[in-house]
C-alpha cells in the first residue's frame, strides 16, 4: 500500500548508531565482494546494476574529482526510474510513456520512441505521479537479445492498460508488446513501480497500488516471456480476509539469484474497515518463488517455495509498517538482508526459506536509528549500505558469524538508495518524500565522511531517486532530464556484450565470444555450463574460458583499512565455434567444489575469455551450487 510513502512517525527522535564494530570481525576468513568486470563494455542494465541488486560498479578504478559532464535536453515528462547504461548509450524512460537512447559521452538524443498514450493523473482516484502515469519503474536490458523492456501504463481514452514493451537497443523498434494486467483487474488501481528483472528468458516484476492506497485490487507479481507468450501471475492468499494485500512496490523490485529463484518483499495487507489484520497471507514478508509458482489465474496461486514471516507480523500489518519498503539484498554466504518501515534489519537464510518455510531470521537488529528504510540497498566489500529516512547507513556484514553491526551513518538529508562507484558511496538528497532535491553526496565508504557535495543541474522528481554508474560516469534522472558526472577515468570498452549497431565496423573484429549469462550454476557433479556467442562474420572464435573465484579481504593496520584481492582458479575449458550461439561445459575439480561448499554454495567469479590475438576479456559473474 502506498501510504507507505510517509514514515510511520515523522516526529520520532533520531537515535544515532554509534557502536563502531571491529573490522576484523567483518572478514572472518575472507569477505567476498561483488566481482569486477574488468575490460568489459560499460554496463548497468537493471536497477542497481545486477539481478541481485548490488548497486556496485566495479569498473571505475581510477577516481577523479567529480565534474558535470553533460545535462541532457528536456525529455518531455518527469523520470521516476534509474537510467540504464550499455556500451556508449544511456537509456531513459519517462512517465510520458517515452523511451530515449542518449549518447553517454554528450547526452545527445540518439533515438526516442513513444510506446503509448500515458494515463492522465486526473483519471486515477489517488496517486502522486503527475501530470501523467506512463513508465514509472526502472526498465531492464537483455544484452543477449539486444532489447530493453519497460512496463507502460497506457490510456485508450476510457481505460488504463499495463503493457510490457520490448524495444531494439539499436534503433528503438518495437519487438514485443504483451498485456500484463491480471485478469479482470481495474488497471487504474494498480501502479507498476518496482524495477524489472530477468529470469531465464522471462521479465519479472511486481505491482503495487497508488499513493493514498485507494485500491480495491490485489497486487500481483508477474512473469512475462521475452518470446511473447502470455503473462502469468502470483498473488498472495488474502482471499476474503483482506481487501488488498501484499503488493510489491519498492523501487528496487524483485531480486533473482544464480539458480533463478525470485525474492520479493511484500507490503501491508488492508483488512475490511474497522477490522484488524490477524490472518497471515504472505503480506509483509520476504518470499522465495520459482517460475513454476506463476499461473494464469492469480487466485489459484500456490504457496511460495519459501517465505520469511517477521515475528511482529500483526504489529506491522496493523500499523502501516510495511516490510517491503526496500527490496531484498542478496549477500555472499546465501543470506538475504531485508529492512522496512519499522527500522528492523533481518538476515534471512536462502536455504532455510525452502527447507523450512516460515523459518525465523538468523539475525536481526535495529537499523536506521529507528527510522524506516525505503528504496534499495547496495553491497560491496563486506559492507551493506541502506537508505534510511534518517540518512544513509553502512553496516558491516560478518559472513562467518551471520550478523551485521553499525559502521556509520551519513548526512541526515541523504536518504536516497545508495550506489557505489569510483571508491565512493553516492547518495541523492532527494527532497524527502516529495522529491525536488538538488544535492548529490559523495561519501567515504569506510567512514561516511562527506567527500563531495554536488549541485544537480535540475531537481529530481522521484523521491526515491538513485544513480547509475558505468564507464567512469555517474548518471541520474534530474526531473525531466538526465545528467552525467565524470567520476573516474573512462574504462576501455569492448568484448562485454553484443555491440550496438551504429553503422561503423571495427577493422579487426574480436575473436573473443560474448558471455551470454553471468549467473552460472554448478550441478551436483560439478559441471558448469557457459552460454557463449561468436560474433565473427568469418572465421572462428577459438580459445579458452577460465573461471576464477574472487576474494576481497579487509585488513586493518592501525587506523587504516587495506583491501587485498586474491583469486583462486577453479577450472578451464576450451572453445572453438563459428558465428552464432553455443555452449561449453567446464568441470570443477574436487578442490574447487570443496571451496564452493565452504562459501555457502555461492562464489563471486571473474570469467576470463581468451582468444589470441584478440584482447583478453574479463567478465563478472556469480557461481552457485545445485542443492
Amino acid at each position: 500500500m502506498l501510504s507507505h510513502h510517509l514514515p510511520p512517525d515523522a516526529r520520532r527522535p533520531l537515535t544515532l548508531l554509534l557502536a563502531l564494530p571491529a573490522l576484523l570481525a567483518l572478514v572472518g576468513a575472507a569477505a567476498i565482494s561483488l566481482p569486477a568486470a574488468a575490460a568489459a563494455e560499460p554496463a548497468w542494465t537493471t536497477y542497481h546494476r545486477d539481478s541481485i541488486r548490488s548497486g556496485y560498479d566495479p569498473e571505475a578504478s581510477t577516481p577523479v574529482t567529480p565534474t558535470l559532464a553533460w545535462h541532457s535536453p528536456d525529455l518531455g515528462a518527469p523520470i521516476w526510474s534509474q537510467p540504464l547504461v550499455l556500451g556508449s548509450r544511456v537509456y531513459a524512460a519517462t512517465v510520458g510513456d517515452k523511451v530515449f537512447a542518449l549518447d553517454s559521452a554528450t547526452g545527445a538524443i540518439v533515438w526516442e520512441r513513444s510506446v503509448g498514450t500515458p494515463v492522465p493523473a486526473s483519471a486515477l482516484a489517488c496517486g502522486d505521479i503527475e501530470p501523467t502515469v506512463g513508465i514509472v519503474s526502472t526498465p531492464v536490458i537483455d544484452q543477449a537479445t539486444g532489447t530493453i523492456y519497460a512496463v507502460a501504463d497506457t490510456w485508450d481514452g476510457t481505460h488504463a492498460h499495463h503493457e510490457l514493451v520490448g524495444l531494439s537497443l539499436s534503433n528503438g523498434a518495437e519487438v514485443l508488446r504483451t498485456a500484463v494486467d491480471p485478469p479482470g483487474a481495474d488497471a487504474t488501481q494498480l501502479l507498476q513501480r518496482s524495477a524489472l528483472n530477468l529470469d531465464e528468458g522471462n521479465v519479472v516484476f511486481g505491482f503495487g497500488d497508488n499513493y493514498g492506497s485507494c485500491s480495491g485490487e490485489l497486487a500481483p507479481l508477474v512473469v512475462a516471456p521475452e518470446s511473447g507468450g502470455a503473462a502469468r501471475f502470483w498473488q498472495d492468499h488474502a482471499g476474503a480476509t483482506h481487501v488488498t494485500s501484499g503488493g510489491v512496490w519498492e523501487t528496487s523490485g524483485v531480486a533473482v539469484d544464480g539458480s533463478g529463484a525470485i525474492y520479493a518483499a511484500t507490503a501491508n495487507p488492508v483488512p475490511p474497515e474497522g477490522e484488524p489484520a490477524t490472518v497471515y497471507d504472505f503480506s509483509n514478508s520476504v518470499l522465495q518463488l520459482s517460475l513454476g509458482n506463476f499461473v494464469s489465474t492469480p487466485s489459484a496461486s500456490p504457496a511460495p517455495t519459501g517465505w520469511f514471516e517477521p515475528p511482529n507480523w500483526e504489529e506491522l500489518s496493523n500499523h502501516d509498517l510495511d516490510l517491503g519498503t526496500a527490496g531484498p539484498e542478496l549477500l555472499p554466504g546465501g543470506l538475504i538482508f531485508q529492512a522496512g518501515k519499522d527500522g528492523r534489519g533481518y538476515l534471512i537464510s536462502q536455504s532455510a526459506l525452502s527447507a523450512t518455510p516460515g523459518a525465523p531470521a538468523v539475525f536481526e537488529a535495529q537499523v536506521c536509528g529507528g527510522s524506516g528504510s525505503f528504496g534499495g540497498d547496495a553491497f560491496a566489500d563486506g559492507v551493506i549500505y541502506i537508505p534510511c529516512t534518517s540518512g544513509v547507513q553502512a553496516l558491516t556484514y560478518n559472513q562467518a558469524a551471520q550478523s551485521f553491526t553499525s559502521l556509520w551513518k551519513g548526512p541526515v538529508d541523504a536518504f536516497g538508495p545508495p550506489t557505489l562507484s569510483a571508491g565512493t558511496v553516492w547518495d541523492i538528497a532527494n527532497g524527502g518524500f516529495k522529491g525536488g532535491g538538488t544535492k548529490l553526496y559523495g561519501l567515504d565508504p569506510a567512514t561516511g565522511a562527506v567527500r563531495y557535495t554536488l549541485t544537480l543541474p535540475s531537481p529530481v522528481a522521484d523521491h526515491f531517486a538513485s544513480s547509475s554508474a558505468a564507464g567512469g560516469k555517474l548518471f541520474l534522472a534530474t526531473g525531466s532530464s538526465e545528467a552525467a558526472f565524470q567520476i573516474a577515468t573512462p574504462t576501455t570498452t569492448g568484448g562485454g556484450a553484443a555491440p550496438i549497431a551504429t553503422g561503423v565496423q571495427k577493422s579487426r573484429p574480436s575473436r573473443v565470444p560474448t558471455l551470454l549469462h553471468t549467473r552460472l550454476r554448478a550441478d551436483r557433479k560439478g559441471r558448469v555450463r557457459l552460454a557463449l556467442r561468436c560474433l565473427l562474420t568469418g572465421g572462428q572464435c577459438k580459445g579458452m574460458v577460465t573461471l576464477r573465484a574472487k576474494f576481497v579481504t579487509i585488513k586493518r593496520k592501525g587506523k587504516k583499512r587495506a583491501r587485498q584481492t586474491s583469486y583462486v582458479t577453479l577450472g578451464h575449458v576450451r572453445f572453438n565455434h563459428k558465428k552464432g550461439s553455443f555452449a561449453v561445459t567446464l568441470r570443477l575439480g574436487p578442490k574447487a567444489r570443496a571451496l564452493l561448499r565452504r562459501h555457502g554454495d555461492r562464489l563471486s567469479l571473474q570469467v576470463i575469455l581468451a582468444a589470441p590475438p584478440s584482447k583478453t576479456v574479463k567478465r563478472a559473474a556469480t557461481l552457485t551450487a545445485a542443492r
Side-chain angles (χ1 to χ4, degrees):
M1 53 184 290
L2 282 191
S3 59
H4 35 250
H5 282 303
L6 298 177
D9 186 356
R11 298 178 179 85
R12 182 178 298 167
L14 175 65
T15 303
L16 298 180
L17 301 182
L18 298 176
L20 190 65
L23 290 175
L24 288 176
L26 153 71
V27 185
I32 302 177
S33 74
L34 268 292
E41 191 172 32
W44 189 287
T45 57
T46 185
Y47 187 94
H48 274 198
R49 192 176 187 269
D50 46 46
S51 68
I52 61 174
R53 308 309 195 196
S54 73
Y56 171 50
D57 164 35
E59 298 175 356
S61 57
T62 310
V64 299
T65 301
T67 56
L68 181 66
W70 51 258
H71 183 212
S72 79
D74 191 295
L75 302 183
I79 301 166
W80 282 63
S81 56
Q82 199 175 59
L84 301 180
V85 186
L86 184 61
S88 61
R89 293 185 184 175
V90 180
Y91 298 88
T94 77
V95 298
D97 267 343
K98 283 191 174 184
V99 179
F100 293 82
L102 309 177
D103 187 299
S104 65
T106 66
I109 296 174
V110 178
W111 57 255
E112 64 179 273
R113 180 72 58 183
S114 173
V115 296
T117 301
V119 178
S122 59
L124 305 178
C126 58
D128 61 350
I129 299 173
E130 295 180 339
T132 58
V133 180
I135 301 172
V136 183
S137 67
T138 299
V140 66
I141 290 173
D142 189 335
Q143 297 181 63
T145 63
T147 307
I148 182 170
Y149 297 98
V151 173
D153 199 357
T154 62
W155 184 246
D156 65 8
T158 306
H159 300 96
H161 307 275
H162 289 93
E163 297 174 307
L164 176 68
V165 180
L167 304 177
S168 168
L169 294 177
S170 62
N171 58 15
E174 185 175 309
V175 297
L176 176 74
R177 185 174 289 264
T178 301
V180 292
D181 283 313
D186 179 359
T188 62
Q189 304 290 342
L190 295 173
L191 180 65
Q192 206 289 292
R193 180 75 175 92
S194 64
L196 279 55
N197 212 333
L198 297 176
D199 191 359
E200 299 180 8
N202 295 275
V203 181
V204 57
F205 57 89
F207 276 109
D209 60 359
N210 296 302
Y211 172 70
S213 300
C214 56
S215 171
E217 297 289 340
L218 294 170
L221 285 155
V222 185
V223 296
E226 295 182 68
S227 60
R232 293 177 292 130
F233 308 90
W234 185 89
Q235 183 177 285
D236 68 23
H237 294 188
T241 307
H242 297 145
V243 178
T244 66
S245 193
V248 175
W249 63 266
E250 66 275 3
T251 54
S252 60
V254 302
V256 179
D257 72 9
S259 68
I262 299 164
Y263 296 88
T266 56
N268 281 330
V270 178
E273 187 174 355
E275 297 183 18
T278 58
V279 178
Y280 179 69
D281 58 0
F282 304 119
S283 58
N284 274 335
S285 302
V286 175
L287 307 179
Q288 181 188 65
L289 299 158
S290 71
L291 292 173
N293 287 116
F294 291 79
V295 294
S296 57
T297 304
S299 59
S301 299
T305 58
W307 64 88
F308 164 69
E309 176 188 349
N312 58 342
W313 181 87
E314 285 195 29
E315 178 187 357
L316 299 180
S317 300
N318 288 296
H319 293 87
D320 189 22
L321 295 171
D322 306 52
L323 182 66
T325 54
E329 181 74 12
L330 305 190
L331 302 173
L335 296 184
I336 306 165
F337 176 80
Q338 180 67 44
K341 202 186 273 189
D342 75 336
R344 195 77 181 165
Y346 300 94
L347 289 179
I348 304 159
S349 168
Q350 291 177 251
S351 59
L353 285 181
S354 53
T356 311
V362 299
F363 182 80
E364 63 177 277
Q366 199 70 31
V367 298
C368 294
S371 298
S373 179
F374 291 78
D377 310 315
F379 175 82
D381 293 341
V383 181
I384 309 167
Y385 302 89
I386 63 174
C388 301
T389 55
S390 57
V392 62
Q393 185 180 10
L395 307 170
T396 57
Y397 170 52
N398 189 328
Q399 180 180 336
Q402 296 190 323
S403 65
F404 58 79
T405 50
S406 174
L407 179 60
W408 54 256
K409 191 188 78 65
V412 67
D413 60 338
F415 67 83
T419 57
L420 294 101
S421 182
T424 301
V425 179
W426 302 98
D427 203 277
I428 300 170
N430 49 25
F433 288 92
K434 295 184 178 180
T438 59
K439 189 187 301 181
L440 171 66
Y441 284 109
L443 308 176
D444 186 311
T447 66
V450 177
R451 287 177 174 172
Y452 312 109
T453 302
L454 306 174
T455 300
L456 303 180
S458 55
V460 299
D462 179 9
H463 41 261
F464 303 132
S466 185
S467 59
S468 308
K473 289 188 177 72
L474 194 77
F475 304 94
L476 63 157
T478 48
S480 298
S481 60
E482 296 282 355
F485 289 86
Q486 192 75 46
I487 59 171
T489 54
T491 54
T492 302
T493 65
I500 298 170
T502 60
V504 179
Q505 292 187 342
K506 297 179 180 179
S507 58
R508 294 184 180 179
S510 175
R511 297 180 181 274
V512 177
T514 298
L515 179 66
L516 297 182
H517 302 291
T518 57
R519 301 191 300 271
L520 306 180
R521 189 179 185 187
D523 66 15
R524 296 184 184 278
K525 295 184 178 181
R527 295 173 296 195
V528 181
R529 183 178 181 275
L530 296 100
L532 304 170
R533 177 180 292 165
C534 181
L535 301 175
L536 287 178
T537 55
Q540 290 181 295
C541 293
K542 182 178 180 180
M544 179 179 289
V545 182
T546 301
L547 299 189
R548 299 201 304 173
K550 178 183 176 182
F551 302 93
V552 176
T553 303
I554 303 175
K555 293 186 176 181
R556 187 170 182 173
K557 296 180 180 180
K559 295 182 179 180
K560 295 183 178 181
R561 266 196 335 170
R563 298 178 183 179
Q564 294 183 350
T565 303
S566 60
Y567 296 91
V568 176
T569 298
L570 302 179
H572 313 271
V573 63
R574 293 190 176 276
F575 57 84
N576 188 355
H577 201 276
K578 294 182 180 180
K579 182 179 180 180
S581 298
F582 64 101
V584 294
T585 299
L586 182 150
R587 294 179 181 271
L588 300 178
K591 291 183 179 179
R593 294 168 68 181
L595 182 68
L596 181 58
R597 287 194 298 271
R598 285 201 302 271
H599 290 277
D601 290 337
R602 184 184 182 88
L603 290 172
S604 294
L605 294 184
Q606 186 180 71
V607 181
I608 302 174
L609 300 142
S614 296
K615 184 178 179 180
T616 297
V617 171
K618 300 175 183 178
R619 294 297 312 275
T622 56
L623 176 65
T624 57
R627 298 185 178 91

